[in-house]
């Protein structure tokens, strides 16, 4: 299957790297477009794929088109390709907030559409991608899309309203976790640990905790209780976080991100 990427930013490059490394497709089966010549050269050198300045040229060639552009660029990207794209082409959008109905209307014809919400840990093969498709996408075509995103992490098939939810939970979480890592490291530095070492220790502690939750499948409360010995040090810290409203703050942040997505 020929896969064309409209846009060659970080997420597009993560997906391209994943599908090539996992031999989902060959380099000859991937094309990408980007307005910047330096980006085109960089992507061509990194992956050995053909790159183009023209979105239309990529879309006319591809069996699957990935719209890897920001939400505010979607209308322009679609305008660039609408006259050359076939209604048999599978179109995959990774733009937050742009619904299947909106994309359909932007094309002005019935298209095979998939919405996908990947997350930035895809850059290291640890992403989470939520996917939904319209009724024109066949099971075989949906399988091809899920195979592409499984090359960069895990995939969850969802109803469309849940795409906005997973976009906020999985997509926004790296920012919140980065803030948490920074706070953990700052505390370690305040107690005398060198900065570089503090970041390394805090990041690994968070990564290990996440892996423990995923691989054991245990309830988060159980994992917390495993660390909180009676009269111990961790429960003292937990009490401080509870008193400062950590849970409520996280819930409010996620719901604010979802609300923003739905306004895009």
């Amino acid at each position: 299957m020929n896969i064309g990427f409209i846009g060659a930013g970080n997420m597009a490059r993560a997906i391209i790297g994943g599908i090539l490394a996992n031999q989902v497709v060959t380099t000859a089966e991937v094309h990408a477009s980007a307005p910047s010549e330096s980006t085109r050269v960089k992507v061509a050198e990194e992956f050995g794929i053909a790159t183009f300045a023209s979105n239309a040229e990529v879309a006319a060639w591809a069996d699957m088109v990935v719209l890897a552009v920001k939400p505010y660029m979607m209308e322009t990207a679609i305008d660039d390709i609408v006259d050359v794209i076939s209604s048999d082409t599978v179109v995959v959008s990774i733009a937050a907030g742009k619904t299947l109905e909106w994309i359909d209307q932007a094309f002005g014809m019935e298209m095979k559409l998939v919405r996908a919400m990947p997350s930035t840990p895809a850059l290291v093969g640890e992403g989470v991608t939520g996917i939904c498709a319209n009724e024109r996408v066949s099971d075989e075509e949906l399988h091809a899309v899920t195979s592409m995103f499984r090359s960069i992490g895990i995939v969850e098939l969802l109803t469309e309203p849940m795409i906005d939810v997973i976009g906020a939970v999985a997509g926004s979480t790296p920012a919140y976790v980065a803030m948490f890592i920074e706070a953990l490291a700052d505390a370690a530095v305040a107690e005398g640990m060198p900065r570089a070492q503090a970041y390394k220790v805090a990041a690994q502690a968070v990564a290990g905790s996440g892996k423990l939750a995923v691989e054991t499948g245990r309830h988060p409360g159980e994992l917390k209780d495993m660390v909180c010995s009676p009269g111990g040090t961790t429960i003292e810290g937990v009490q401080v976080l509870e008193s400062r409203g950590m849970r409520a703050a996280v819930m409010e942040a996620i719901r604010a991100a979802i609300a923003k997505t739905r306004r895009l």
Side-chain angles (χ1 to χ4, degrees):
M1 174 177 280
N2 293 333
I3 304 176
F5 288 81
I6 306 301
N10 287 336
M11 191 56 68
R13 292 202 296 272
I15 299 169
I16 292 168
I19 58 179
L20 293 178
N22 288 277
Q23 300 181 338
V24 176
V25 289
T26 66
T27 54
E29 294 173 296
V30 182
H31 288 183
S33 62
S36 165
E37 182 179 2
S38 61
T39 297
R40 295 195 300 271
V41 170
K42 179 180 179 181
V43 170
E45 290 178 347
E46 183 176 0
F47 300 113
I49 66 170
T51 59
F52 302 84
S54 167
N55 292 337
E57 192 167 356
V58 172
W61 166 85
D63 302 309
M64 180 190 298
V65 169
V66 181
L67 295 173
V69 298
K70 300 294 186 184
Y72 71 89
M73 298 173 63
M74 279 283 284
E75 192 167 355
T76 299
I78 291 172
D79 286 345
D80 286 346
I81 67 177
V82 68
D83 291 334
V84 300
I85 197 167
S86 166
S87 59
D88 289 329
T89 303
V90 178
V91 176
V92 182
S93 166
I94 64 171
K98 299 304 183 186
T99 65
L100 294 173
E101 182 181 6
W102 185 95
I103 300 168
D104 228 11
Q105 291 177 352
F107 274 103
M109 57 182 173
E110 293 186 345
M111 299 293 297
K112 296 180 177 184
L113 301 177
V114 179
R115 282 187 68 191
M117 276 290 99
S119 59
T120 55
L123 293 166
V124 292
E126 295 292 343
V128 178
T129 303
I131 289 177
C132 70
N134 67 12
E135 70 282 355
R136 302 178 203 114
V137 178
S138 69
D139 290 343
E140 183 180 359
E141 290 164 337
L142 185 58
H143 176 73
V145 175
T146 56
S147 294
M148 178 171 65
F149 285 102
R150 284 196 177 102
S151 72
I152 55 170
I154 69 169
V155 172
E156 294 290 330
L157 297 177
L158 304 166
T159 60
E160 186 164 23
M162 291 301 101
I163 291 293
D164 295 334
V165 176
I166 200 170
V169 175
S172 300
T173 288
Y176 309 148
V177 170
M179 293 170 67
F180 185 52
I181 289 171
E182 190 173 33
L184 292 172
D186 282 347
V189 169
E191 293 294 329
M193 184 177 286
R195 173 68 64 180
Q197 188 175 43
Y199 281 140
K200 182 178 179 181
V201 169
Q204 180 57 44
V206 170
S209 299
K211 188 173 184 179
L212 183 65
V214 170
E215 295 194 0
T216 65
R218 291 184 174 184
H219 189 282
E222 183 181 359
L223 295 175
K224 179 201 65 161
D225 290 349
M226 286 170 58
V227 188
C228 293
S229 303
T233 56
T234 304
I235 194 64
E236 288 290 322
V238 168
Q239 183 176 0
V240 172
L241 293 176
E242 293 286 15
S243 70
R244 302 295 175 87
M246 177 182 178
R247 292 175 195 249
V250 171
M251 289 175 66
E252 288 178 19
I254 294 295
R255 298 190 74 183
I258 294 170
K260 174 66 174 180
T261 298
R262 290 172 175 163
R263 293 195 301 270
L264 291 174

